[in-house]
Amino acid sequence: MEQLIPVINKLQDVFNTLGTDPLDLPQIVVVGSQSSGKSSVLENVVGRDFLPRGSGIVTRRPLILQLIHLPWDDQAAPSDKVISPGSSSSSTSSGGTGQEWGEFLHKPNEMFYDFNEIREEIVKETDRMTGKNKGISAQPINLKIYSPHVVNLTLVDLPGITKVPVGDQPSDIELQIRRMIMTYIKKPNAIILAVTPANTDLANSDALQLAREVDPDGIRTLGVITKIDLMDKGTDAMDVLTGKVIHLNLGFIGVINRSQEDIQQKKPIRQALKDEVNFFRNHALYKVIANRMGTSYLAKTLNKILMQHIKNCLPELKSRVNKMLLDTQQELLSYGDPLYDTRNSQGALLLQIITQFCACYRDAIDGKLTDLSVHELYGGARINYIFNEVFAQCLNGISPLDGVSQADIRTTIRNATGPRAALFVPEVSFELLVKRQIARLEEPSLQCVELVYDELLRIVAQLENKELSRFVNLRDRVIEVVNGLLSNHRSPTRMMIENLIRIELAFINTNHPDFVGGDGALNSLLENMVQQRQLEQQGPNPFASSGSGASSGFSASHTSASQGAAAQQTTRAPQPGVMASKAPPKPSPASKPAGYVPSSSPPAPGATDGSMQQGGQQQGHGFLNMFFGGGAKPAAAPVPTGYSTSSGSQPSSSSSSASSSSNGIVDATYGAQQQQQQYSNAVGSYNRQAGGAPGDRLTQVPTSIKAGADVTDKERFETELIKSLMVSYFDIVRKNVKDSVPKSIIHFLVNQSKDLIQNELVSNLYKEDLFDELLEESPQISSRRKACKAMLEILRKANDIINDVRDHTFTG
C-alpha cells in the first residue's frame, strides 16, 4: 500500500510538466477561510516551519505538497543532487539537519535543506507570478519534502477564502478564490480537507459550505477543527467532533496549533505536537476521544484514506491512461510525419494526398465511406433525395391545365382556324396549348441541375481528409480545381436538359402508345356527356321525345324531333345521337344551297352507337360533322330560307321552319343566325337614321377581341376535348422528363466528375515548381504535432509508472 502514494506523486510530476491534470489524480485538497489555521495544520503534518506567514492573505497560489517518507537508513541526500547555495548538509545553523530536504518542480535537481529557504522560494515564486501586492494566481507551485518524520501524502493548499479585497486585489477576489477552489474540489477523485476554527459557528463555515456544494452527502469530506484550545470558557466542540452537528462519512478530527506567541518565540513544532497530545489526554471532555484527535492521528488518517482512495481509483486510472494513449497516437497520425526535403519525396506525398482525396470523393458519392453518419443523409444519398423527393415531387405538383382557362382554349381554337370556320377541332390549337405546358418543365429540371451541383460542392468542402488539412495552400488549390471541374461540366448538363425539353417541344407524337388519341378522348367525352344527359333527363322534361329511341348528345338545348313528324327533318344544326326513323331523300342538285354538305361524307372516326339509327342503320352524315361541320357560327351569313345546314336535309319552306320552331325545337345555330339578323337590322336602322343607305357604314373594330362570354355547346365540347388530350399527352412528357433528367445529370455531371477528378488534379497541381508552395505546412499543425508528441511521451511514462504496481498485491 505504501507504494501507491509515490506512484501518484510520480504521475503528478509527469503531468505537471504540461501544467494540467488530465487524469484527475487522487489528492487531498485543503480548504478553509483566511486565518483558519490551514498553514499551521500543514506545518504540523510536516513537522517543520516552511510556509509563508503574515497578516492578510498569505497563500496566493495553490501549493501541491508531496510528502515522501524516507527510511532511517536512506536519509543521506543523493549524490547527483545539487545542494542549494548557503545550505549545509551537516550543519543546523541555518535550520537544516541534513536528514530532510525539499525540492521544487520549477528547480529540478536543486535541493533545499534549509526550510527557511523553502519559505523564501515560495514567496519569491509567488511574487513572480502574482506581483508583490496580494494578487492571486491559479498556477500551482509543486514542492516535494523528503523526511523520515512524514507519512506518504499528497496535499494541495489553496488560498484562504477572503471577503474584502486588499492592495491591488480585484474587487471580485472572493469570487476568483471560490472559482479556483471549485476547480480542485469538484473533481470526483479529490478528498476535501475542510478546515474550520472551533471558535466560530460551524454553520458559518466557508469550507464546509463549499464542500457541501460538490459533495452533498459528505462521502469524501474530512472535517478538521482547529483552535479548540481558544474556545470560550463553558463551551466545547464535543458535539461537532462526534458528528452530532454535521455528519461526515470521514468524520471530524480536532487539532491544536501553535499560538502566535509560540510562533514568535520559535517554539519547535515537535514540542507543540507533544503539548497537543497532552491537551487531549488531560481534558475532561476530550480525553474519551483523545486517541482520535491530534495532528499525528490526522496524518495517519489522511495517509490511510489517500491510499485506499488511490487503490480504488487505480484501475480507472489505468484504463484512462490507455485510452488517452490511443487517442493521442491517432491524433499524432492525423498530423502526419515531418516533410522530407527531396523533390521525389514531395512528389510522392502530393500524389498520395491527391489519390486519397479522389478515392474519398468517389466513396462519398457511392456511399462507401467507412465513417458515414448515422444521423443524417450524406453524399450520394442526398443526391438521390434531390431526384426522388425534391425534383419528382415538384413535377408531380405541376397540373397540365394550370394557367389555361376555357377562354384561352376557345381563343386558341378560333385563332387556329383563321378566316374560315373549321369543320373539326384544329390540331394546331392542341399543339400550341400543350407545348406551352411542356415548356414549364424546363425550369424545375434546370433547378435540379443546380441542386446536384451544389451538393457536389458540399461534398468537396466536407471532404478534407487528415493529410489535406495539414497543408492550407494545397487544400485551397484542390477545392479550387474541383470546383472548376464541376463548373465546366455544369454547362453541358444544363444544355442537355434544355435539349431534352426542346426535343419534346419539337414533335408532338400523337401516335404514342400511351396517348389517349382523338378516338379515345372522344369516346370518353361522349360517355361522360351521355351520363350527364341521362341524369338531367331523370326529372320531368317537356321537350323529351317518346319515340326517338336515342338520347340527345350533350346539351339540354338539343332535343329530338317529334315522333309524328314527316320524313323530312327541319333542324338547322345536327344533334348528336338524334337520328330520323327513315333516311331522308337526297335533294336535287339544283336545290342545294351554298355550304351544303353532301350526305355521302364518310362518318367521322370514333363515332359511337349513338350515331346509328334506331333500327341499326348507320346515319349517312359524318358524326364529327354533326358537331364541327354545321355548328354555331355567329359571324356566318343567314342561311337562305327553306334550306337546312345539315347534310341530307330536304328543302323546306319558311312555314315549315316556323312550324318546327313553334313545336319547341331549339337550335344554337339558329339562335346565332337570328342574333346576326338583328344586328344587321340595327346597323341598317342606324345608317338610315344617319342619312345614308343601309350598309353604307360599319361599326368600329375593337382593338382587342376576345372570346365571347356565351359558350355554345360546340365550343364546350371542343374545349373539353382539348383538355383531355392535353392531360394525356402532358403526363407522357412528364414521365419522360422525370426519367431522363436524373439520368442526364448523373452521366454528364456526377459520373464525369468522378472519372476526371484525379486527372484534373494531377494535371493542375503536380508541378515541381509548386511543390514547396503546396506542401507548406500550417504553423498550427506543426505546433499541435509538437504538443501531441510531448503528451504521448508523458502518457507513456504514466503508463509505465502504473504498470509498475500492476502485479503488486495490495494489502490493508
Side-chain angles (χ1 to χ4, degrees):
M1 287 290 284
E2 292 296 332
Q3 297 181 11
L4 296 181
I5 295 178
V7 167
I8 298 301
N9 292 341
K10 292 179 181 179
L11 291 177
Q12 280 184 334
D13 294 342
V14 167
F15 287 107
N16 282 333
T17 59
L18 292 178
T20 59
D21 181 15
L23 286 183
D24 182 19
L25 296 174
Q27 56 190 2
I28 298 175
V29 182
V30 184
V31 181
S33 59
Q34 183 176 315
S35 302
S36 62
K38 296 189 296 80
S39 299
S40 297
V41 171
L42 294 179
E43 287 183 336
N44 289 347
V45 171
V46 176
R48 302 299 298 267
D49 289 319
F50 68 96
L51 294 177
R53 293 188 175 275
S55 60
I57 182 171
V58 178
T59 305
R60 295 181 287 140
R61 287 179 60 182
L63 176 65
I64 299 178
L65 180 62
Q66 298 175 357
L67 304 182
I68 301 173
H69 175 74
L70 289 178
W72 287 99
D73 58 352
D74 190 22
Q75 296 173 13
S79 60
D80 59 342
K81 300 292 183 178
V82 178
I83 300 176
S84 175
S87 299
S88 174
S89 61
S90 60
S91 173
T92 60
S93 60
S94 59
T97 65
Q99 299 176 350
E100 303 171 283
W101 72 88
E103 293 180 5
F104 288 96
L105 188 63
H106 62 273
K107 288 190 174 183
N109 296 328
E110 185 174 347
M111 303 173 62
F112 292 81
Y113 288 93
D114 190 342
F115 280 79
N116 292 326
E117 291 184 1
I118 293 178
R119 181 188 300 111
E120 293 174 0
E121 182 62 27
I122 294 175
V123 174
K124 188 185 303 182
E125 182 65 14
T126 301
D127 293 341
R128 185 180 66 84
M129 293 292 296
T130 62
K132 295 184 178 182
N133 202 9
K134 307 301 182 182
I136 66 171
S137 171
Q139 187 67 28
I141 299 175
N142 290 77
L143 172 63
K144 290 182 180 180
I145 294 181
Y146 298 84
S147 173
H149 305 291
V150 298
V151 295
N152 290 326
L153 205 58
T154 301
L155 301 166
V156 181
D157 185 23
L158 297 177
I161 304 171
T162 184
K163 302 291 185 181
V164 180
V166 296
D168 60 355
Q169 291 178 347
S171 58
D172 61 341
I173 184 65
E174 179 183 4
L175 181 61
Q176 290 187 22
I177 294 177
R178 285 179 175 270
R179 190 182 298 121
M180 182 192 303
I181 294 174
M182 292 298 293
T183 58
Y184 282 89
I185 65 175
K186 71 180 181 182
K187 298 177 181 179
N189 289 340
I191 300 296
I192 305 172
L193 191 65
V195 180
T196 304
N199 54 0
T200 61
D201 189 355
L202 198 64
N204 297 327
S205 172
D206 293 328
L208 290 176
Q209 178 187 1
L210 290 175
R212 180 164 291 183
E213 292 182 13
V214 296
D215 183 29
D217 298 329
I219 298 175
R220 53 187 180 92
T221 303
L222 175 63
V224 176
I225 305 299
T226 63
K227 303 181 181 181
I228 295 180
D229 56 329
L230 301 181
M231 296 183 68
D232 295 336
K233 291 183 178 181
T235 62
D236 61 80
M238 194 65 180
D239 291 341
V240 174
L241 294 175
T242 55
K244 295 180 179 179
V245 178
I246 296 178
H247 174 72
L248 296 177
N249 283 10
L250 301 180
F252 286 88
I253 297 177
V255 296
I256 304 296
N257 296 333
R258 292 180 299 170
S259 64
Q260 189 65 30
E261 181 182 1
D262 294 338
I263 295 174
Q264 292 176 356
Q265 294 179 358
K266 299 185 181 298
K267 181 179 181 179
I269 292 181
R270 291 185 177 88
Q271 181 62 42
L273 295 178
K274 293 179 181 179
D275 295 342
E276 178 188 42
V277 173
N278 294 330
F279 174 83
F280 286 109
R281 286 180 179 177
N282 299 326
H283 196 278
L285 292 176
Y286 302 138
K287 62 181 180 180
V288 295
I289 57 173
N291 60 335
R292 292 184 283 115
M293 298 289 117
T295 303
S296 178
Y297 179 78
L298 173 64
K300 294 178 181 179
T301 302
L302 291 176
N303 175 263
K304 183 179 179 180
I305 291 174
L306 184 58
M307 285 192 298
Q308 187 64 38
H309 190 55
I310 292 173
K311 178 182 176 182
N312 297 334
C313 297
L314 195 60
E316 181 186 357
L317 290 177
K318 289 181 180 180
S319 61
R320 291 185 63 183
V321 168
N322 291 332
K323 184 178 183 303
M324 292 178 62
L325 193 60
L326 293 176
D327 294 342
T328 307
Q329 288 175 344
Q330 292 294 330
E331 183 181 359
L332 183 61
L333 289 177
S334 68
Y335 298 138
D337 296 327
L339 297 178
Y340 300 104
D341 296 332
T342 62
R343 293 288 182 180
N344 293 335
S345 300
Q346 289 180 331
L349 178 61
L350 181 60
L351 285 177
Q352 179 185 0
I353 295 174
I354 291 176
T355 302
Q356 290 178 353
F357 178 82
C358 296
C360 291
Y361 177 78
R362 299 188 190 99
D363 292 343
I365 295 176
D366 296 337
K368 298 180 181 179
L369 284 180
T370 57
D371 54 347
L372 287 176
S373 173
V374 296
H375 303 292
E376 62 178 354
L377 297 181
Y378 177 76
R382 293 177 63 91
I383 296 177
N384 179 70
Y385 179 86
I386 293 173
F387 288 153
N388 296 305
E389 300 295 334
V390 180
F391 177 65
Q393 293 296 334
C394 178
L395 293 192
N396 292 337
I398 298 178
S399 173
L401 302 177
D402 280 348
V404 179
S405 64
Q406 190 174 15
D408 295 337
I409 299 177
R410 291 167 53 206
T411 302
T412 306
I413 295 175
R414 289 194 180 185
N415 289 336
T417 59
R420 297 176 300 278
L423 300 179
F424 302 97
V425 178
E427 188 175 353
V428 177
S429 61
F430 161 70
E431 291 190 1
L432 180 64
L433 291 170
V434 79
K435 283 182 178 180
R436 188 172 72 170
Q437 298 303 99
I438 292 174
R440 297 174 57 198
L441 300 176
E442 181 176 3
E443 183 62 26
S445 302
L446 294 178
Q447 290 180 5
C448 184
V449 177
E450 298 300 322
L451 290 177
V452 176
Y453 171 77
D454 293 340
E455 193 58 41
L456 293 177
L457 293 180
R458 186 173 184 268
I459 293 175
V460 173
Q462 293 180 346
L463 208 62
E464 293 186 9
N465 59 7
K466 298 175 181 178
E467 287 291 338
L468 193 61
S469 61
R470 293 176 56 190
F471 312 107
V472 178
N473 295 335
L474 178 60
R475 180 191 60 192
D476 295 340
R477 289 297 303 275
V478 166
I479 295 178
E480 178 184 349
V481 172
V482 176
N483 290 354
L485 174 66
L486 295 176
S487 180
N488 293 336
H489 285 84
R490 177 176 59 170
S491 299
T493 307
R494 290 178 60 90
M495 186 177 298
M496 179 61 190
I497 301 301
E498 293 172 353
N499 287 335
L500 288 177
I501 304 301
R502 293 194 186 104
I503 289 171
E504 297 291 345
L505 294 174
F507 179 65
I508 304 299
N509 183 17
T510 56
N511 290 327
H512 194 282
D514 295 335
F515 183 52
V516 67
D519 294 346
L522 188 60
N523 291 336
S524 176
L525 186 61
L526 289 177
E527 289 176 2
N528 294 335
M529 289 183 172
V530 169
Q531 293 176 2
Q532 181 180 0
R533 180 69 180 189
Q534 289 176 352
L535 293 176
E536 293 176 354
Q537 288 182 346
Q538 288 179 359
N541 188 354
F543 299 102
S545 174
S546 60
S548 62
S551 62
S552 73
F554 57 89
S555 174
S557 63
H558 291 264
T559 58
S560 61
S562 174
Q563 185 176 3
Q568 59 184 358
Q569 196 173 16
T570 59
T571 57
R572 291 178 173 79
Q575 303 179 30
V578 182
M579 303 300 170
S581 61
K582 187 180 294 184
K586 298 182 180 179
S588 62
S591 64
K592 293 179 182 179
Y596 174 78
V597 180
S599 61
S600 60
S601 301
T608 61
D609 293 342
S611 64
M612 303 300 294
Q613 293 186 8
Q614 208 170 20
Q617 182 181 0
Q618 184 175 1
Q619 178 71 311
H621 315 301
F623 189 77
L624 289 181
N625 285 352
M626 299 176 65
F627 287 102
F628 310 129
K633 303 179 184 62
V639 180
T641 305
Y643 290 95
S644 153
T645 59
S646 62
S647 63
S649 300
Q650 294 183 354
S652 174
S653 64
S654 60
S655 61
S656 64
S657 299
S659 174
S660 299
S661 177
S662 63
N663 289 334
I665 300 176
V666 182
D667 188 271
T669 304
Y670 177 76
Q673 293 172 352
Q674 291 291 92
Q675 293 176 1
Q676 181 67 21
Q677 184 63 37
Q678 294 174 4
Y679 173 79
S680 300
N681 295 338
V683 172
S685 175
Y686 170 81
N687 290 336
R688 287 192 296 273
Q689 292 176 5
D696 286 350
R697 297 187 179 183
L698 300 178
T699 58
Q700 187 71 23
V701 178
T703 304
S704 176
I705 304 177
K706 299 182 180 180
D710 297 333
V711 182
T712 64
D713 292 332
K714 175 177 178 293
E715 289 178 326
R716 185 179 296 109
F717 181 85
E718 293 171 344
T719 301
E720 295 300 325
L721 182 61
I722 290 291
K723 286 183 178 179
S724 63
L725 296 177
M726 287 178 61
V727 171
S728 175
Y729 195 80
F730 184 83
D731 287 342
I732 295 173
V733 176
R734 175 165 52 190
K735 186 183 300 182
N736 294 341
V737 171
K738 268 200 301 188
D739 181 64
S740 301
V741 167
K743 291 180 178 178
S744 302
I745 294 175
I746 290 294
H747 174 71
F748 285 94
L749 184 60
V750 179
N751 287 348
Q752 288 292 321
S753 65
K754 289 168 55 180
D755 296 339
L756 301 178
I757 182 173
Q758 186 159 357
N759 293 337
E760 192 76 11
L761 288 174
V762 171
S763 60
N764 284 274
L765 302 181
Y766 191 77
K767 299 176 182 179
E768 288 191 6
D769 55 338
L770 296 177
F771 285 172
D772 293 334
E773 177 187 354
L774 296 179
L775 298 180
E776 182 181 358
E777 196 171 42
S778 169
Q780 291 82 1
I781 297 296
S782 179
S783 61
R784 289 176 186 172
R785 184 193 296 110
K786 184 177 180 181
C788 194
K789 285 184 176 180
M791 174 63 78
L792 186 62
E793 183 179 356
I794 289 173
L795 288 173
R796 285 172 178 167
K797 290 181 179 179
N799 191 48
D800 294 339
I801 293 172
I802 294 178
N803 288 336
D804 287 341
V805 294
R806 180 180 56 187
D807 300 327
H808 186 76
T809 302
F810 301 111
T811 59

